[in-house]
Amino acid sequence: MNVAASGAGAAKIPPEAIKAIPVRHPWRWVSAVVVLAVFASVVYQIATAPRLKWDVVGEWLFHQSILNGVRVTVELTIIAMVIGVVLGALLAVMRLSANPVVSTVSWVYIWFFRGTPVLVQLFFWYNLQLVLPHISVGIPFTPAVWQADTLPLISPFLASILGLGLNEAAYMAEIVRAGIISVEQGQTEAAQALGMTRAQVMRRIVLPQAMRVIIPPTGNETISMLKTSSLAYITTVQELFRSQELIAAFNYRIVELLIVASVWYLSMTSVLTFGQYYLERYFARGSARQLPPTPLQRFRHILFQGHAPPPFPPADPLPVYPPRRDDSGQGM
Amino acid sequence: MGKQMVLSEAVHKRFGRLEVLQGIDLEVAPKEVMCLIGPSGSGKSTFLRCINHLEKIDAGRLWVDGELVGYRQQGDKLYELGDKEVCRKRSEIGMVFQRFNLFPHMSALENVIEAPVRVKGENEQVAVERGRAMLDRVGLADKIDAYPNQLSGGQQQRVAIARALAMQPKLMLFDEPTSALDPELVGDVLDVMRQLALDGMTMVVVTHEMGFAREVGDSLVFMDSGIIVEAGKPRDMLANPQHERTKLFLSKVL
């Protein structure tokens, strides 16, 4: 067949939208039925468990002491994560520093705080006053500039913050470092070639690009922190877990109150999961040609198209460039 | 040494035990366009990076615009330059890379104004004005808000040139600026470089584009294994190479 002729012929007939019978997916339906059956069975058994008093769950779910616990848990999580992220970023930059003293300090910090259980660290800060009744700041072997008693200073709340935050910093340092390393060396060179200082290169060029790699695991860490903060109950700080435990200790409705706490933990982590998604979208600017759809867009798509959209839509077709001019100096 | 823009005397550079530059002597006059050619691994990119303090030289002396690169001389003693000094010197030299290295999280205009604002402390309004003018100069006035990944390779490279020009450098270094481009996009970048040469910019260009070297270059240097094998006028050298090594290389690339 003559190619030119077929091309000309194709141009005359407008292309018709393809109407084909889609591939059937019977196993999707089978799996849906199986999953629903198992789910229904589990829900039914829990819902009708003879000794599980659901009215107790309802009674305590929004009780003031539980709500206070939720508030303290949120406070602990936010403050510990802020400490973790700020200190972690600092440690990561220190770790990559050309200054051997600074990078060693960072290495030792990470080694120590990542190498001991967070529960031990929480206990340590809580019990610091046993070995160190006074804390002082000043030059060694000279009178202290500032001094305080450990006990009122390190409250249960502060002990929790220190235990959770300093431990988190060690993990965040490694996450930030991985992000920094992921940025192409050429970026640093291009920025240096423009005369930017090390600090400017880090702040303006490397860190913003590293964020794309740093954000997803940081979201993970935040969700993890929300739950790990329950360990702070050993410092007697009344966060969510301790609040429910105190109630269960006098009404013996242990499982009911655990459900109360779980409902709260699950709701809060769900909110965080949602927030993480939008943060990731924001930092994907400039790296993905098209942003991935939001959960709402995905939901609409499933509703109207019958299947999920691809997580990353295919890139735009390549633009067509005009042929190069003849005077381009390529005469050889 | 007051007259040359770049002056290199017996410059040596080692990476571990590999001697990448084994004594480079050359001069680049103001407004001169020098093209460096040679097989990969011949040290031409390394030499370019030495000029811009991206690599430290191990022996010899290198001057840019009469000032020693990387060191300060007092009497017969050399003092290593601090970060601040190195940054100041780099800011006066523009560099264009093979792989563009645009900042992907910034639009074309933001790429161009970043250094004038942050490094030179220029007023943002002024920087934006000149940034637009620079992008117009490289033929991308309609792409100021585009992010690098929305641009073709040739467009990205032209933004990279505009970014370097925005610092108003006295010397421009090009490290194989067209090697990563589709053949049909090479011309636009070379056009911009040719115009730059006509405007009187001093340029050192590592390239495989012999056509560009012949038409735009004032001088041509052929390097191999860390030494300069042959140097001269591009037309003479390309038409009538003197050394066997040069002949062999040119027979393969022409």
Side-chain angles (χ1 to χ4, degrees), chain A residues 209-222:
Chain A
Q209 293 183 61
M211 288 308 267
R212 206 164 45 82
V213 175
I214 294 172
I215 289 289
T218 304
N220 233 8
E221 288 293 309
T222 311

Side-chain angles (χ1 to χ4, degrees), chain B residues 222-254:
Chain B
F222 174 65
M223 282 177 69
D224 189 23
S225 314
I227 54 166
I228 292 177
V229 176
E230 190 170 348
K233 291 277 169 216
R235 268 170 209 283
D236 305 342
M237 231 176 102
L238 289 172
N240 188 19
Q242 299 298 307
H243 285 70
E244 278 310 312
R245 189 68 193 86
T246 319
K247 281 177 195 164
L248 189 68
F249 177 77
L250 289 177
S251 72
K252 281 179 184 163
V253 296
L254 290 183

Side-chain angles (χ1 to χ4, degrees), chain A residues 1 9 11 14 47 50 72 120 131 135-136 179 214 222 241 244 248 258 261 297 302 310:
Chain A
M1 195 170 102
V72 174
V120 172
V131 289
I135 294 174
S136 60
I214 294 172
T222 311
F241 188 81
Q244 67 80 27
L258 283 178
Q297 287 166 347
I302 293 172

Side-chain angles (χ1 to χ4, degrees), chain B residues 77-188:
Chain B
K77 272 194 184 142
L78 284 183
Y79 296 86
E80 224 173 75
L81 289 183
D83 272 352
K84 219 176 196 170
E85 273 300 289
V86 170
C87 284
R88 189 184 63 75
K89 292 197 172 183
R90 279 183 184 144
S91 72
E92 298 170 349
I93 303 172
M95 186 153 186
V96 175
F97 299 86
Q98 181 177 358
R99 304 207 38 102
F100 330 136
N101 296 343
L102 289 183
F103 307 134
H105 58 302
M106 298 180 182
S107 69
L109 185 64
E110 286 167 345
N111 262 281
V112 173
I113 66 170
E114 178 68 13
V117 172
R118 305 281 158 186
V119 177
K120 279 189 172 173
E122 234 170 52
N123 176 297
E124 196 158 327
Q125 211 73 39
V126 177
V128 167
E129 279 307 308
R130 215 188 30 256
R132 284 176 193 277
M134 289 300 161
L135 284 169
D136 189 36
R137 188 169 166 188
V138 298
L140 292 173
D142 55 334
K143 297 287 184 192
I144 54 170
D145 292 322
Y147 281 91
N149 64 359
Q150 296 165 326
L151 299 171
S152 73
Q155 291 170 333
Q156 288 189 50
Q157 192 60 298
R158 286 184 280 153
V159 173
I161 293 173
R163 177 174 71 177
L165 289 178
M167 289 296 281
Q168 300 174 308
K170 53 190 179 190
L171 168 67
M172 282 284 284
L173 308 173
F174 292 84
D175 190 1
E176 299 196 24
T178 57
S179 296
L181 295 179
D182 289 344
E184 60 179 355
L185 305 180
V186 169
D188 292 336

Side-chain angles (χ1 to χ4, degrees), chain A residues 143-300:
Chain A
V145 176
W146 176 88
Q147 192 170 18
D149 290 342
T150 306
L151 193 50
L153 179 71
I154 303 212
S155 64
F157 188 79
L158 187 58
S160 308
I161 290 296
L162 287 171
L164 295 172
L166 298 187
N167 182 262
E168 185 56 33
Y171 285 92
M172 281 309 302
E174 290 297 276
I175 289 172
V176 174
R177 189 170 69 99
I180 290 173
I181 291 173
S182 78
V183 178
E184 220 194 319
Q185 181 64 25
Q187 292 289 312
T188 304
E189 283 180 2
Q192 284 179 336
L194 287 166
M196 295 172 86
T197 62
R198 280 171 201 275
Q200 282 174 328
V201 173
M202 189 53 80
R203 206 175 57 240
R204 298 284 309 167
I205 308 301
V206 175
L207 278 181
Q209 293 183 61
M211 288 308 267
R212 206 164 45 82
V213 175
I214 294 172
I215 289 289
T218 304
N220 233 8
E221 288 293 309
T222 311
I223 289 169
S224 176
M225 175 62 78
L226 194 79
K227 297 173 297 161
T228 309
S229 69
S230 60
L231 289 179
Y233 87 103
I234 59 105
T235 67
T236 72
V237 70
Q238 286 199 26
E239 41 68 62
L240 180 54
F241 188 81
R242 189 168 177 83
S243 302
Q244 67 80 27
E245 201 197 26
L246 288 175
I247 297 163
F250 86 85
N251 72 2
Y252 298 112
R253 290 289 168 197
I254 294 168
V255 174
E256 285 83 351
L257 279 150
L258 283 178
I259 291 175
V260 167
S262 300
V263 167
W264 276 107
Y265 280 120
L266 203 52
S267 327
M268 289 191 283
T269 51
S270 303
V271 170
L272 287 179
T273 307
F274 201 68
Q276 179 184 0
Y277 189 86
Y278 281 92
L279 258 181
E280 279 177 35
R281 248 174 85 86
Y282 176 77
F283 281 103
R285 275 170 324 150
S287 63
R289 269 174 199 267
Q290 234 175 321
L291 292 175
T294 63
L296 204 64
Q297 287 166 347
R298 275 177 70 83
F299 181 70
R300 277 204 206 108

